[in-house]
């Protein structure tokens, strides 16, 4: 493959443009002075320095850069040479990792074939549509953590081609002139026939490109949104979160779902989809969210601190949010009315920087509205959303039935085996109350110090009486706190003490210092002393996180045994509810049941070891108890569309008995000594029949063999629960 180089300096490239400009295209319009007249040199400078179009001249033989404009150089991080570009030796695939030698040759052949047809065989068409087919590559640019997407075209119609050895004709076996040109250009077979070394190409490629990074991000987002999976699946939600934050340069992503008068807010945290508390539409009245919905347009909130009227906005502000971009989503009227239709939700992008979002972000938001609306309608607003994978098939089946116009049919799974377990943080409510008491006493002590300092400056009867009130209130707190004390005591200080701080600061240096100490101790999101409670919250959070992560890992193993339904609830500890049976998965057998029961016990033991590790790391930690409820009798479960809960027991006598036991068993006591049947550091099994115990006795023996538990087994009878008798327990350390 041989080429002949022509003059490719910037001046030579601009020559045709100079000819056009010399004709003065502005004519006689206005009084264009000599100082403002657009000259060829002016245009060359503007094209070179200010055009967003990336331009380069590329040697046809090896794709080496011969010249590039400033936009190209800036994006690629290239310093334009002071001398000859050819001496740089920069090739396109040095800049674009995806545009390797193989891709370069393929593109070269694509351009060479029509040139050979035109110059060697005199087969020509003026319109070569393939030249309008762009190539998209990515490039890592200096100073950017994310790659840029570049769309480029090669212009080759000005090149000339000649065959070096006319006797070597790779198309001698066909009559090219008799074949449709479109067929030749559309088939790679003809391109691959070319013997590249037998052609001499005169001239250089003109390379033109555009930075389409944002367009590519929008395209990938749309592809992600229209996928069949629910947007609330953790993996898809994480991808959506990451891609939206990248496109809008945001710190966080919120998904609001509106159903009836309820608004649910979903975010991503610790690789999970988190649903915050449920808000009512009424509670959002006057908010930026409702303003965006009422205006039905992408809504910018430049600075949240200046307008923060509702609890949701106050929560975001307390979390550090300064600016918002809100994208309201509506479902269209079925009759095609022009009004926006019903509000189904909203996407919110947040930033900790004021004025973070601009009109370009608004444009991107508008482009995503159709796909976001479809994803929200399918994943959140649909009849069946957030479904466990093991039972999703039944919900999809029912959705298809209803799409045919058939009447709704209850979703029921009959004769499934229940497996219930608890990892309960013992004494968590007492510990929480103690933390509340500690913080309140600390805050009231600071309050007393403030009043003491003011009394030193100005001795008034009113201050003396208020001082006595504070001492009395503090004394009552030292004797114990009730549930409402956390709110009422703090409100008492806000209404009776903090309102005077502006005046107290003027009552001498001692009072000003006392007020400052009080305010610094309360300088947090809760606006009160929150030290002991923060420690408690962090401990509960860490225990729950460790339990959840351990259980999730175990669940992956258990699902491989046989797909089954599992629901997990985190409060002060973790509860799990498993249902397994042939109505959920037709491959079910007793082997799967027994393997899952044993795996459930192993998972509980894994959770216990994690908690032991936490106990060993901290001087103070909460004790955790572990219980598994055994039942060899099957139950029926059904999906109630009127409740948030995915499944409820159907309501037969056996189902009701199981539900009562499940709700009360964690507080059950030994009939012999009235001690709780669950004890820290021990695994407790509750069962009814001899057969159930014989099965689980084997499992305990297996666990001991694996060194999960001790061999000594304690046993007893459970005191009757609301008329339910006959329950027994066994526990092992």
């Amino acid at each position: 493959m041989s080429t002949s180089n022509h003059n490719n300096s910037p001046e030579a490239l601009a020559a045709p443009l100079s000819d056009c400009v010399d004709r003065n295209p502005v004519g006689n319009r206005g009084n264009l002075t000599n100082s403002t007249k657009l000259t060829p040199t002016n245009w060359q400078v503007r094209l070179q320095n200010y055009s967003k179009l990336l331009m380069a001249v590329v040697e046809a033989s090896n794709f080496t850069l011969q010249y590039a404009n400033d936009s190209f150089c800036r994006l690629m991080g290239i310093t334009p040479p002071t001398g000859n570009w050819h001496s740089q030796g920069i090739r396109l695939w040095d800049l674009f990792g995806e545009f390797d030698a193989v891709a370069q040759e393929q593109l070269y052949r694509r351009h060479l074939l029509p040139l050979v047809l035109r110059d060697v065989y005199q087969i020509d068409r003026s319109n070569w549509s393939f030249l309008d087919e762009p190539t998209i590559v990515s490039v890592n640019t200096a100073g950017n953590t994310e790659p840029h997407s570049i769309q480029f075209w090669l212009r080759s119609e000005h090149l000339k081609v000649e065959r070096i050895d006319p006797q070597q004709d790779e198309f001698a076996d066909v009559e090219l002139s008799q074949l449709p040109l479109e067929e030749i250009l559309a088939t790679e077979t003809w391109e691959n026939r070319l013997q590249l070394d037998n052609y001499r190409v005169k001239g250089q490629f003109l390379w033109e490109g555009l930075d389409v990074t944002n367009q590519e991000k929008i395209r990938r987002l749309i592809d992600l949104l229209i996928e069949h999976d629910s947007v609330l699946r953790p993996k898809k939600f994480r991808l959506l979160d990451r891609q939206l934050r990248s496109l809008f340069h945001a710190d966080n992503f919120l998904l609001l779902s509106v159903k009836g008068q309820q608004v649910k807010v979903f975010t991503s945290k610790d690789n999970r989809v988190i649903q915050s508390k449920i808000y009512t539409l009424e509670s959002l009245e006057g908010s930026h969210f409702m303003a965006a919905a009422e205006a039905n347009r992408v809504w910018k909130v430049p600075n949240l601190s200046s307008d923060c009227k509702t609890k949701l906005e106050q929560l975001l502000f307390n979390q550090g949010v300064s600016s918002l971009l809100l994208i309201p989503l509506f479902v269209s009227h079925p009759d095609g009315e022009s009004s926006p239709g019903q509000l189904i939700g909203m996407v919110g992008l947040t930033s900790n920087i004021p004025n973070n979002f601009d009109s370009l972000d608004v444009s991107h938001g508008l482009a995503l509205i159709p796909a976001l609306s479809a994803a929200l309608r399918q994943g959140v607003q649909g009849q069946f959303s957030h479904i466990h994978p093991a039972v999703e098939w039944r919900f999809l089946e029912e959705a298809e039935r209803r799409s045919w116009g058939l009447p709704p049919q209850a979703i029921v799974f009959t004769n499934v085996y229940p497996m219930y377990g608890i990892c309960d943080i013992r004494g968590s409510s007492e510990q929480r109350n103690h933390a509340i008491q500690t913080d309140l006493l600390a805050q009231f002590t600071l309050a007393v110090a403030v009043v003491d300092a003011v009394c030193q400056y100005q001795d008034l009867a009113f201050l003396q009486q208020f001082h006595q009130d504070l001492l009395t209130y503090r004394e009552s707190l030292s004797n114990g706190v009730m549930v409402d004390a956390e709110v009422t005591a703090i409100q008492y200080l806000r209404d009776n003490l903090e309102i005077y701080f502006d005046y107290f600061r003027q009552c001498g240096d001692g009072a000003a210092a006392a007020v400052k100490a009080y305010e610094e101790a309360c300088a947090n999101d809760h606006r009160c002393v929150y030290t002991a409670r923060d420690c408690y919250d962090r401990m509960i959070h860490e225990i729950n996180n460790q339990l959840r992560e351990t259980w999730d890992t175990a669940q992956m193993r258990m699902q491989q045994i046989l797909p089954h339904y599992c629901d997990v609830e985190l409060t002060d500890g973790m509860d799990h509810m498993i249902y397994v049976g042939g109505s959920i998965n037709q491959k079910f057998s007793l082997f799967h049941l027994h393997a899952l029961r044993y795996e459930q016990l192993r998972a509980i033991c894994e959770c216990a070891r994690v908690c032991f590790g936490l106990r060993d790391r901290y001087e103070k930690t909460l004790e955790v108890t572990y219980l598994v409820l055994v039942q060899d009798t099957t139950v029926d479960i059904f999906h109630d569309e009127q409740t948030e809960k995915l499944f409820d027991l159907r309501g037969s006598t056996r189902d009701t008995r199981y539900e009562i036991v499940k709700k009360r068993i964690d507080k059950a006591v030994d009939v012999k000594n009235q001690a709780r049947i669950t004890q820290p550091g021990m695994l407790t099994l509750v069962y009814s029949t001899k057969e159930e115990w014989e099965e689980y006795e084997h499992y305990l023996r297996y666990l001991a063999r694996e060194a999960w538990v001790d061999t000594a087994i304690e046993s007893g009878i459970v005191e009757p629960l609301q008329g339910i008798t006959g329950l027994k327990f066994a526990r092992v350390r």
Side-chain angles (χ1 to χ4, degrees):
M1 181 169 61
S2 175
T3 65
S4 175
N5 293 331
H6 287 189
N7 183 9
N8 56 352
S9 67
E11 292 76 17
L13 290 170
L17 177 64
S18 304
D19 294 341
C20 294
V21 176
D22 284 341
R23 299 187 185 100
N24 190 10
V26 297
N28 295 321
R29 275 179 281 166
N31 296 317
L32 192 64
T33 65
N34 289 333
S35 61
T36 59
K37 182 180 178 181
L38 298 176
T39 66
T41 303
N42 289 344
W43 270 108
Q44 290 174 28
V45 170
R46 293 183 186 184
L47 287 172
Q48 170 69 10
N49 297 333
Y50 304 116
S51 172
K52 282 193 173 183
L53 181 66
L54 311 173
M55 298 184 68
V57 175
V58 180
E59 176 63 41
S61 62
N62 55 16
F63 282 76
T64 302
L65 235 58
Q66 303 297 297
Y67 164 76
N69 69 349
D70 279 9
S71 295
F72 186 99
C73 294
R74 281 194 299 268
L75 184 68
M76 303 302 171
I78 298 173
T79 302
T82 55
N84 188 358
W85 269 90
H86 187 70
S87 63
Q88 296 288 101
I90 301 174
R91 298 168 299 178
L92 280 187
W93 65 79
D94 295 329
L95 303 173
F96 305 110
E98 300 172 8
F99 192 62
D100 56 16
V102 175
Q104 169 248 311
E105 181 179 321
Q106 183 180 357
L107 187 60
Y108 180 81
R109 288 178 178 273
R110 187 82 184 101
H111 281 261
L112 183 62
L113 178 60
L115 295 174
V116 170
L117 295 175
R118 185 194 67 188
D119 296 347
V120 177
Y121 293 95
Q122 286 73 51
I123 301 174
D124 187 18
R125 288 286 176 86
S126 58
N127 181 22
W128 289 353
S129 60
F130 74 93
L131 290 176
D132 295 323
E133 299 173 6
T135 301
I136 295 181
V137 291
S138 63
V139 57
N140 292 308
T141 59
N144 290 287
T145 57
E146 295 184 351
H148 279 241
S149 296
I150 306 300
Q151 179 176 273
F152 74 85
W153 297 262
L154 280 182
R155 301 302 181 188
S156 57
E157 55 265 51
H158 57 281
L159 300 178
K160 299 296 181 182
V161 173
E162 60 183 33
R163 187 176 275 162
I164 298 173
D165 182 0
Q167 301 304 315
Q168 294 185 22
D169 185 355
E170 57 268 66
F171 303 110
D173 59 327
V174 294
E175 188 62 45
L176 290 177
S177 61
Q178 302 301 316
L179 296 176
L181 182 60
E182 293 78 8
E183 178 182 328
I184 299 174
L185 295 178
T187 308
E188 291 185 6
T189 305
W190 302 100
E191 298 171 13
N192 295 332
R193 280 194 180 203
L194 290 171
Q195 299 176 18
L196 301 183
D197 292 339
N198 196 34
Y199 291 97
R200 182 180 295 110
V201 181
K202 298 180 179 180
Q204 290 84 28
F205 286 118
L206 174 61
W207 187 100
E208 297 174 302
L210 291 171
D211 186 343
V212 293
T213 304
N214 287 338
Q215 292 90 320
E216 276 297 290
K217 288 180 178 179
I218 291 172
R219 183 190 63 78
R220 287 196 295 269
L221 270 165
I222 291 174
D223 289 345
L224 175 65
L225 288 165
I226 63 177
E227 285 179 357
H228 181 69
D229 283 351
S230 167
V231 72
L232 287 182
R233 287 284 183 85
K235 181 179 179 180
K236 183 170 180 176
F237 197 91
R238 288 197 304 271
L239 287 172
L240 183 61
D241 174 62
R242 184 167 66 247
Q243 292 185 25
L244 280 172
R245 287 190 289 110
S246 172
L247 176 64
F248 292 97
H249 303 286
D251 294 315
N252 203 359
F253 152 62
L254 308 173
L255 180 63
L256 281 69
S257 165
V258 179
K259 192 170 185 179
Q261 294 299 308
Q262 289 188 337
V263 181
K264 297 178 182 177
V265 183
F266 298 92
T267 58
S268 180
K269 184 178 180 182
D270 298 328
N271 291 327
R272 299 201 307 276
V273 180
I274 304 296
Q275 177 189 320
S276 70
K277 64 175 290 187
I278 297 175
Y279 297 87
T280 63
L281 278 176
E282 184 180 0
S283 71
L284 296 181
E285 284 297 329
S287 69
H288 294 289
F289 295 91
M290 294 308 296
E294 290 164 4
N296 188 25
R297 63 182 176 86
V298 181
W299 190 269
K300 292 184 296 179
V301 182
N303 199 332
L304 191 59
S305 63
S306 61
D307 191 2
C308 202
K309 297 177 181 177
T310 62
K311 289 184 178 180
L312 175 55
E313 290 167 321
Q314 187 65 51
L315 175 65
L316 294 174
F317 178 70
N318 291 339
Q319 292 174 349
V321 174
S322 292
S323 55
L324 287 167
L325 185 76
L326 303 175
I327 308 173
L329 306 174
F330 291 84
V331 60
S332 302
H333 284 294
D335 53 6
E337 292 182 18
S338 58
S339 57
Q342 180 186 357
L343 178 69
I344 60 171
M346 192 170 300
V347 166
L349 287 308
T350 73
S351 173
N352 297 339
I353 303 171
N355 300 292
N356 184 68
F357 304 105
D358 55 26
S359 56
L360 183 60
D361 295 312
V362 172
S363 176
H364 294 336
L366 285 171
L368 289 171
I369 282 178
L372 286 169
S373 299
L376 183 62
R377 188 166 60 249
Q378 173 188 327
V380 182
Q381 297 299 127
Q383 188 74 36
F384 315 116
S385 61
H386 215 181
I387 305 301
H388 191 280
V391 294
E392 185 180 38
W393 65 270
R394 180 63 185 88
F395 287 83
L396 294 174
E397 185 181 81
E398 177 60 15
E400 186 176 3
R401 284 186 71 262
R402 296 186 188 186
S403 70
W404 296 340
L406 297 174
Q409 188 178 80
I411 295 178
V412 181
F413 293 101
T414 59
N415 298 319
V416 293
Y417 289 89
M419 298 163 59
Y420 178 64
I422 312 171
C423 298
D424 182 53
I425 300 176
R426 174 65 59 84
S428 57
S429 58
E430 290 85 353
Q431 291 279 359
R432 167 86 182 166
N433 287 340
H434 179 71
I436 293 171
Q437 182 186 41
T438 301
D439 285 338
L440 291 179
L441 287 172
Q443 189 164 344
F444 268 80
T445 298
L446 290 168
V448 170
V450 170
V451 178
D452 280 341
V454 177
C455 286
Q456 294 293 325
Y457 179 83
Q458 189 177 26
D459 189 13
L460 296 174
F462 174 75
L463 283 173
Q464 293 295 339
Q465 290 300 318
F466 181 47
H467 182 265
Q468 188 59 46
D469 280 350
L470 287 176
L471 292 175
T472 302
Y473 208 131
R474 186 175 66 176
E475 183 64 25
S476 68
L477 292 173
S478 66
N479 295 327
V481 296
M482 303 298 289
V483 176
D484 63 343
E486 185 172 14
V487 176
T488 56
I490 297 301
Q491 196 61 47
Y492 172 82
L493 291 175
R494 288 175 183 167
D495 295 342
N496 296 280
L497 174 71
E498 296 176 17
I499 58 173
Y500 303 132
F501 278 178
D502 286 341
Y503 172 71
F504 287 170
R505 289 189 186 92
Q506 304 172 32
C507 298
D509 294 341
V515 170
K516 182 180 179 182
Y518 181 100
E519 289 181 328
E520 287 179 348
C522 299
N524 52 60
D525 292 342
H526 306 279
R527 294 170 52 216
C528 62
V529 174
Y530 206 84
T531 305
R533 280 171 289 178
D534 182 62
C535 181
Y536 170 87
D537 291 344
R538 283 189 284 107
M539 192 173 296
I540 291 289
H541 178 73
E542 182 162 9
I543 292 174
N544 282 346
N545 269 356
Q546 295 282 357
L547 287 172
R548 181 61 188 254
E549 289 177 8
T550 305
W551 179 259
D552 286 348
T553 301
Q555 254 294 291
M556 288 190 285
R557 296 197 310 265
M558 296 171 73
Q559 291 291 344
Q560 290 175 357
I561 295 174
L562 185 78
H564 55 277
Y565 174 76
C566 178
D567 182 38
V568 175
E569 183 177 349
L570 292 172
T571 51
D572 289 349
M574 181 185 71
D575 297 5
H576 68 264
M577 186 68 249
I578 294 173
Y579 296 113
V580 59
S583 58
I584 294 177
N585 190 292
Q586 61 182 2
K587 294 181 180 180
F588 170 78
S589 69
L590 285 179
F591 171 81
H592 296 109
L593 175 65
H594 295 160
L596 283 171
R597 283 175 171 171
Y598 181 61
E599 202 62 40
Q600 178 197 22
L601 297 180
R602 295 179 80 249
I604 290 283
C605 292
E606 288 178 347
C607 290
R609 285 190 177 175
V610 167
C611 292
F612 293 158
L614 289 176
R615 182 190 63 190
D616 294 340
R617 286 208 305 272
Y618 296 103
E619 293 182 5
K620 274 188 168 184
T621 190
L622 299 170
E623 295 283 3
V624 183
T625 63
Y626 312 91
L627 179 143
V628 169
L629 177 59
V630 178
Q631 175 163 316
D632 200 35
T633 307
T634 59
V635 297
D636 298 338
I637 58 174
F638 79 103
H639 171 64
D640 185 353
E641 297 179 19
Q642 306 305 315
T643 66
E644 291 295 319
K645 195 175 180 181
L646 188 60
F647 287 113
D648 283 312
L649 294 179
R650 204 170 190 182
S652 64
T653 302
R654 59 178 180 167
D655 297 346
T656 303
R657 178 183 184 277
Y658 184 76
E659 191 66 25
I660 293 172
V661 174
K662 193 175 71 170
K663 287 181 178 179
R664 301 179 180 275
I665 194 61
D666 64 315
K667 300 292 191 300
V669 298
D670 186 346
V671 70
K672 182 177 180 181
N673 57 19
Q674 295 299 297
R676 294 274 286 271
I677 63 172
T678 56
Q679 295 295 322
M682 302 192 78
L683 169 63
T684 301
L685 306 177
V686 176
Y687 60 94
S688 298
T689 68
K690 176 184 176 183
E691 291 74 19
E692 289 172 348
W693 166 242
E694 288 175 348
E695 178 184 341
Y696 274 80
E697 188 178 22
H698 285 298
Y699 300 153
L700 292 181
R701 182 162 54 85
Y702 298 161
L703 290 175
R705 183 185 294 161
E706 287 196 76
W708 286 110
V709 301
D710 197 3
T711 55
I713 300 173
E714 302 174 9
S715 59
I717 298 173
V718 179
E719 188 171 79
L721 302 172
Q722 202 176 17
I724 295 177
T725 60
L727 292 177
K728 305 176 183 65
F729 73 89
R731 62 179 176 234
V732 60
R733 190 167 302 282

